[in-house]
């Protein structure tokens, strides 16, 4: 099995040439930062990923988790790696310095996240969920709760979890039934069962702080009657020391297709006298507190698609260069399989997809940084609009794409890819859940069409298309990029036409529009990916004028963009045909037609 | 977990209305057979699959295989099920009656195969490989070998294997190194290692007959120097009783992504004095003997895609009807998730794909029956041409499609789909290998373009397109099917244009043509699927005129065909764009551009 290498060259290109470092350096709190600093941090992250996390990825997958009387043991080496991870501060890059975070921008934590997840997705989920808990507490909790819990969550001394799902309440979180009863001292007693709780129990930390959605006895039905509670595994004394064990336990862990080293727990709250919890934010406003972190959580899940595509690509590339099999169709000489045209197509597909996704992820992270830190409130709003529009697109497109790319990674290996010891099957297994959690692809598509396009009257989409047209103009100005410019121009037109079409359809029949919302979302994702490649190609072309630059790398960026535009981008013509032709064929199909 | 149900309604429709029963009944050896007989056999096959094979599918996956000192133990219940399987004769439906087979047509064994594999893919692989060995022996071996080995292989008393692959010889079988040395008595001593040997060792049968490709000392290099040998696990005495243990053993079994109950063995031949083997056919003509069975083996692998799509669809459909989650966007009432437009799109995709694949598989099987049994040699040749053309298309298209459909089956289940106990993850895991073995998708595509279209000068393709145009005319004649006719007519045009384009490109640059051969193959597969649906819709429309028929089922066939033509078929516009635009963008991409 090959060793994971952080994609530092590509990240360096994006940080230096695609992100707007001039603007970023003017943002509040980022004034002293430079690309050099970012690069040195990414370099260190790469070393950590390669040396500490990658070596326990396959072994963690094989060994899996153990549960004994509610105590979960993570695979060999994970606990020690976690100590090193938090000591180095990889867990709190972008968190608030007030509670011990490093206050660095999302562009950096997003890139670091890709690197760490590329080396070991299961491992990173613990701190990922903890960050979610921290953000919810930061946004909604009382100062007392913040002071008591945030410092140790931010330092990584304690872990955090998010408890939404119940057996009868998955995508429809409003259906949840867990109860919270107020006590005389202002605390609550929580009773109920939560499922699919990532790192709900583990041996990384001494305490685990659960954020739990529950219902007060007199709460309204549905999403307007949900409150958020903080429920520590061990109660915390006034002096910060650990007190009694709370009435919450991990009943079982799931046996899953992938992410074998990430415990997915069934959590029982209040089997005895009730788990003690503290209200976070206002009563019945729990969902709002949770939704604060949704954009960032969805960005993180999308990054899983980027990370696993990169990991699978590296394995496939190494193998394709080493493995000699068959002869070249022109020279009739034995060749490494990378020389076979179809293997090359598969590798290029993986490479072009991962670069498009990575570049988009950092564009979104930059927009998020600007929306949080820019001096001008109008700029903040403008940037947040782009984030809101692009998040569902990125989450669904990157994770669905990863299913295809990690499958290609297996295929490049031939029969060996099917053998678990080869390692590439794990990347597919680990990738499957990403299309489901934090909202399935269908839910992202409904969000995109209903809330981000129709409700917004297409304003943010118009902004996005405006940005694409700026890039198009740059591409059109280069004599070397005429094929890219031609394909990209056509693609923008397809995007505009289909967006108008689906918005109009949504007004006529919401259901019909939703029935083709996933094909439409994928179309948007693929065009946005083309935009990233067009930007890269333009920039690379410009840089090639200077002799000091890395010619091979820049030429590769242009040729990869060319491949994306002439091969990957083609798919939009199929998707557009679906959006145009489907009509009522899905919505009018009767239940009984599906068969017995 | 739901229980597998054989798709008897759809099979009945295909057997009664899409296959040419009049022609079939005139074929040699099939004169006394009727659709009623076929249907009663399929009904029995369905019962066997549901009652015997399905209940041990998930448990077999979980338990897996054990190996101890070269002896492989299959999971609980498998050995007993095998006894029942061969007692009922499910293993030799289409085999030669001379050696105990039932001499029934391929249309029947193909449909039975889908049913059995839908219930338990791992289990069926033992008899699948045995059939391959039987066909090679039947075609090439001496009468003495046939008399000695075929009866017990056909009865299922012994198992058979195919030994091609070696560590350095996968897709390039000509690179194999296993040696065979002739002995004074005319037998051979075999020395070498074979990998990826399906059911190379197991506890189903008392003896296992290995067919092994090896090289004589003076053999020419490459594929022209390969001979085929029969190597029994236990030598067979003159009276048919078992003699000494031969010098062949299973060294290890692979730990795989899927098909956990099917042993994939590393086989060592001749670690001691040499494994005793007998030449099958002529020296250095071993590959030809193996290639005889390739079409049927590839049809079988394609059927795995059909079977697993059907299995995953059944699970997803049951779940989608039971699971209440969220509210209807129009009525705002809680609904089962099948009412959500995107879930419905996923289910319809699975249903439309599996029906297209199933119908094509039986069209190919019918052509094979005609080519083997028709009185007129010209008809035989004509039908064999269709088989040769369609086999690589079906194998690659059906197996690649199954990756998408089994992933959709997981997604319909939401988070539950990722939990192994739910059962649907297994269908994806079991499906992945089908795109690789018996020739990867890239190899099928090269075969299609190079040998089946260019070398053939497009003759068989012209025949196929002629058949499609006949169906188109029928579709155009119906006022109810105008949308299908419109989409199908356009698709045939796209197929013709792109076929000319890739053939022309092949003459100019083989490598460039191969670089887009997979997108082209998928285009062909999708259009051929549209043809099947157009045929079904036409026929269903015609049958609806008679009041005695099952209206709901027939209407569902038409509406499913409509969905296929308006949604699934769209994909060809993306693939066609790739075929047109790719040019040299893949072949000119330099090795160094892929990165370090």
């Amino acid at each position: 099995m090959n060793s994971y290498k952080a994609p530092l060259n590509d990240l360096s290109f994006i940080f230096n040439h695609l992100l707007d470092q001039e603007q970023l350096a003017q943002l509040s709190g980022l004034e002293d930062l430079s690309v050099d600093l970012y690069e040195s941090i990414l370099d260190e992250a790469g070393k950590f990923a390669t040396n500490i996390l990658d070596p326990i990825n396959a072994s963690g997958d094989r060994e899996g988790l153990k549960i004994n009387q509610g105590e979960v043991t993570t695979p060999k080496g994970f606990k020690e790696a976690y100590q090193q991870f938090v000591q180095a501060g990889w867990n709190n890059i972008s968190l608030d310095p007030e509670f011990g975070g490093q206050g660095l921008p999302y562009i950096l934590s997003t890139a670091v996240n890709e690197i760490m997840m590329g080396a070991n997705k299961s491992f990173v989920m613990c701190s990922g969920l903890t960050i979610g808990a921290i953000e919810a507490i930061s946004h909604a909790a009382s100062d007392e709760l913040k002071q008591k819990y945030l410092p140790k969550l931010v330092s990584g001394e304690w872990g955090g979890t998010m408890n939404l799902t119940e057996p009868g309440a998955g995508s429809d979180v409003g259906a949840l039934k867990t109860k919270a009863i107020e006590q005389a001292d202002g605390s609550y007693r929580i009773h109920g069962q939560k499922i699919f709780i990532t790192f709900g129990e583990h041996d990384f930390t001494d305490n685990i702080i659960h954020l739990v959605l529950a219902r007060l006895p007199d709460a309204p039905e549905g999403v307007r009657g949900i409150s958020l509670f903080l429920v520590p595994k061990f109660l915390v004394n006034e002096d910060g020391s650990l007190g009694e064990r709370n009435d919450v336990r991990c009943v079982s862990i799931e046996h899953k297709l992938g992410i074998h080293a990430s415990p997915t727990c069934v959590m029982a709250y209040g089997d005895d006298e009730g788990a003690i919890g503290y209200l976070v934010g206002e009563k019945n406003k729990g969902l709002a507190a949770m939704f604060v972190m949704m954009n960032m959580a969805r960005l993180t899940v999308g990054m899983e698609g980027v990370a696993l595509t990169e990991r699978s690509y590296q394995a496939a590339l190494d193998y394709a260069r080493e493995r000699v099999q068959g002869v070249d169709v022109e020279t009739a000489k034995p060749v490494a399989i990378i020389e076979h045209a179809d293997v090359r197509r598969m590798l290029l597909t993986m490479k072009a997809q991962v670069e498009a996704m990575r570049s988009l992820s950092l564009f979104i992270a930059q927009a998020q940084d600007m929306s949080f830190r820019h001096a001008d409130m109008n700029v903040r709003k403008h940037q947040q609009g782009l984030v809101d529009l692009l998040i569902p697109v990125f989450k669904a497109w990157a994770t669905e794409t990863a299913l295809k790319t990690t499958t290609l990674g297996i295929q490049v290996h031939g029969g060996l890819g099917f053998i678990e010891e080869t390692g590439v099957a794990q990347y597919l297994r680990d990738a499957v859940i990403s299309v489901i959690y934090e909202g399935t692809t269908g839910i992202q598509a409904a969000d995109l069409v209903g809330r981000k396009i129709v409700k917004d009257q297409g304003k943010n989409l118009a902004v996005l298309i405006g940005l694409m047209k700026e890039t198009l103009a740059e591409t059109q100005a280069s004599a070397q990029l005429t094929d890219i410019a031609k394909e990209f121009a056509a693609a923008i037109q397809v995007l505009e036409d289909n967006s108008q079409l689906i918005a109009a359809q949504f007004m006529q029949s919401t259901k019909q529009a939703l029935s083709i919302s996933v094909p439409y979302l994928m179309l948007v994702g693929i065009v946005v990916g083309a935009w990233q490649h067009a930007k890269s190609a333009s920039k690379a072309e410009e840089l090639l004028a200077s002799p000091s630059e890395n010619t091979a790398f820049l030429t590769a960026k242009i040729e990869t963009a060319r491949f994306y535009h002439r091969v990957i981008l083609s798919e939009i013509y199929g998707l557009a045909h679906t959006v145009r032709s489907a009509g009522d064929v899905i919505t009018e199909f009767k239940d009984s037609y599906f068969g017995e």
Side-chain angles (χ1 to χ4, degrees), chain A:
Chain A
M1 205 178 296
N2 75 345
S3 184
Y4 173 76
K5 288 176 302 231
L8 296 176
N9 286 343
D10 200 41
L11 286 168
S12 172
F13 178 80
I14 295 169
F15 271 72
N16 278 290
H17 305 302
L18 299 186
L19 297 184
D20 189 343
Q21 293 296 345
E22 211 171 305
Q23 279 254 32
L24 285 164
Q26 289 170 23
L27 297 180
S28 159
L30 307 186
E31 297 87 350
D32 302 329
L33 306 181
S34 69
V35 181
D36 284 353
L37 175 71
Y38 296 143
E39 287 199 79
S40 68
I41 295 174
L42 293 174
D43 192 47
E44 286 305 313
K47 286 179 193 157
F48 191 91
T50 301
N51 299 330
I52 310 295
L53 298 187
D54 185 51
I56 55 172
N57 185 42
S59 59
D61 176 71
R62 265 197 300 278
E63 184 185 337
L65 300 148
K66 289 174 198 72
I67 183 166
N68 185 20
Q69 301 200 314
E71 302 289 313
V72 171
T73 309
T74 56
K76 189 159 177 280
F78 272 60
K79 194 176 166 172
E80 295 75 13
Y82 180 80
Q83 292 309 318
Q84 294 178 267
F85 188 78
V86 299
Q87 268 160 30
W90 295 121
N91 59 315
N92 57 24
I93 294 171
S94 297
L95 297 178
D96 193 344
E98 189 187 340
F99 299 100
Q102 298 174 61
L104 291 163
Y106 281 115
I107 50 167
L108 188 68
S109 54
T110 300
V112 168
N113 219 1
E114 189 214 314
I115 292 171
M116 300 300 181
M117 291 196 296
N120 197 324
K121 181 185 166 188
S122 284
F123 175 89
V124 182
M125 294 189 74
C126 182
S127 60
L129 271 292
T130 303
I131 288 172
I134 290 167
E135 286 180 344
I137 295 169
S138 302
H139 178 261
S142 66
D143 281 344
E144 192 193 337
L145 286 177
K146 284 187 195 172
Q147 296 298 340
K148 195 161 179 180
Y149 292 96
L150 283 181
K152 290 192 177 175
L153 282 165
V154 172
S155 73
E157 200 175 329
W158 294 345
T161 74
M162 310 294 302
N163 294 243
L164 289 79
T165 306
E166 299 178 9
S171 297
D172 183 8
V173 69
L176 67 82
K177 294 203 164 79
T178 295
K179 290 220 169 328
I181 298 158
E182 195 163 1
Q183 307 295 302
D185 67 352
S187 72
Y188 291 78
R189 292 285 180 160
I190 316 287
H191 297 269
Q193 193 187 59
K194 294 287 181 178
I195 61 170
F196 297 156
I197 307 309
T198 298
F199 274 91
E201 180 57 48
H202 57 82
D203 55 6
F204 287 1
T205 58
D206 294 335
N207 203 6
I208 301 171
I209 310 305
H210 304 291
L211 286 190
V212 184
L213 289 181
R215 230 174 244 298
L216 297 169
D218 57 350
E221 280 191 13
V223 293
R224 292 168 198 278
I226 295 174
S227 305
L228 180 63
F229 299 90
L230 185 158
V231 184
K233 176 179 169 185
F234 285 97
L235 299 177
V236 179
N237 299 321
E238 285 310 307
D239 64 356
S241 64
L242 295 188
E244 272 183 50
R245 184 73 165 79
N246 204 351
D247 184 13
V248 45
R249 48 192 50 85
C250 172
V251 179
S252 61
I253 54 175
E254 307 290 356
H255 174 224
K256 306 185 301 291
L257 174 61
I259 52 169
H260 288 169
S262 167
T264 301
C265 302
V266 176
M267 302 297 294
Y269 289 89
D271 273 0
D272 298 328
E273 71 278 20
I276 294 170
Y278 311 99
L279 184 67
V280 175
E282 292 177 50
K283 288 179 183 173
N284 299 330
K285 296 272 172 73
L287 217 53
M290 282 291 205
F291 279 177
V292 166
M293 79 200 75
M294 189 172 288
N295 270 342
M296 297 318 285
R298 288 181 173 176
L299 177 62
T300 300
V301 174
M303 295 308 298
E304 296 173 358
V306 188
L308 289 167
T309 298
E310 174 66 30
R311 187 70 188 89
S312 185
Y313 171 62
Q314 291 184 12
L317 179 59
D318 274 18
Y319 182 76
R321 281 176 164 157
E322 280 166 19
R323 172 73 171 174
V324 175
Q325 189 78 175
V327 297
D328 186 89
V329 290
E330 285 167 6
T331 66
K333 288 193 176 136
V335 283
I337 62 171
I338 192 173
E339 302 300 330
H340 297 316
D342 186 60
V343 173
R344 183 156 295 217
R345 178 190 63 84
M346 292 194 275
L347 292 170
L348 251 171
T349 300
M350 299 176 85
K351 176 177 165 61
Q353 295 280 26
V354 77
E355 292 181 9
M357 293 190 253
R358 175 178 298 127
S359 174
L360 180 61
S361 75
L362 290 166
F363 176 82
I364 296 172
Q366 171 177 266
Q368 192 71 81
D369 282 325
M370 295 211 188
S371 100
F372 285 167
R373 298 177 186 255
H374 203 281
D376 183 339
M377 285 298 149
N378 282 326
V379 173
R380 285 196 186 199
K381 202 179 151 195
H382 174 91
Q383 295 289 337
Q384 187 62 44
L386 282 172
V387 172
D388 291 341
L389 174 67
L390 285 170
I391 284 289
V393 174
F394 175 68
K395 194 275 184 186
W397 166 66
T399 57
E400 291 282 346
T401 300
L403 296 186
K404 297 180 198 168
T405 50
T406 54
T407 305
L408 290 179
I410 293 174
Q411 286 201 47
V412 169
H413 285 78
L416 216 57
F418 198 62
I419 308 297
E420 286 287 3
E421 283 77 2
T422 307
V424 285
Q426 184 191 347
Y427 311 141
L428 168 61
R429 289 191 289 96
D430 285 357
V432 170
I433 189 60
S434 304
V435 301
I436 295 170
Y437 58 22
E438 292 296 335
T440 61
T441 299
I443 283 175
Q444 306 301 325
D447 179 48
L448 173 67
V449 177
R451 299 179 61 213
K452 307 300 173 61
I453 292 183
V454 173
K455 202 175 161 196
D456 176 61
Q457 296 182 300
K459 283 181 206 148
N460 286 318
L461 182 67
V463 171
L464 180 71
I465 289 173
L467 292 173
M468 288 190 194
K469 286 182 176 169
E470 283 175 26
T471 303
L472 176 63
E474 288 166 25
T475 320
Q476 284 168 331
S478 160
Q480 308 303 314
L481 305 177
T482 48
D483 55 344
I484 293 180
K486 177 175 155 258
E487 298 290 353
F488 187 37
I492 295 174
Q493 190 61 52
V494 169
L495 173 61
E496 288 189 286
D497 294 347
N498 282 273
S499 300
Q500 281 170 12
L501 212 147
I502 201 168
Q505 198 171 33
F506 191 90
M507 305 308 288
Q508 273 198 325
S509 161
T510 304
K511 218 175 230 187
Q512 261 188 47
L514 292 180
S515 79
I516 46 160
S517 57
V518 167
Y520 170 74
L521 179 147
M522 292 304 291
L523 187 160
V524 180
I526 294 166
V527 176
V528 172
W531 172 41
Q532 299 304 312
H533 273 296
K535 276 201 281 190
S536 297
S538 269
K539 198 69 206 177
E541 187 72 19
E542 184 192 319
L543 292 165
L544 276 170
S546 140
S548 64
E549 294 287 343
N550 181 346
T551 308
F553 176 83
L554 295 171
T555 310
K557 283 306 279 188
I558 295 170
E559 295 305 316
T560 306
R562 227 185 274 289
F563 170 80
Y564 189 99
H565 278 81
R566 283 159 65 171
V567 174
I568 306 283
L569 184 57
S570 302
E571 207 186 322
I572 64 169
Y573 296 100
L575 296 164
H577 195 91
T578 290
V579 171
R580 265 201 316 279
S581 318
D584 60 2
V585 75
I586 298 167
T587 50
E588 291 299 307
F589 199 87
K590 293 203 173 71
D591 284 11
S592 59
Y593 293 168
F594 282 104
E596 283 157 36

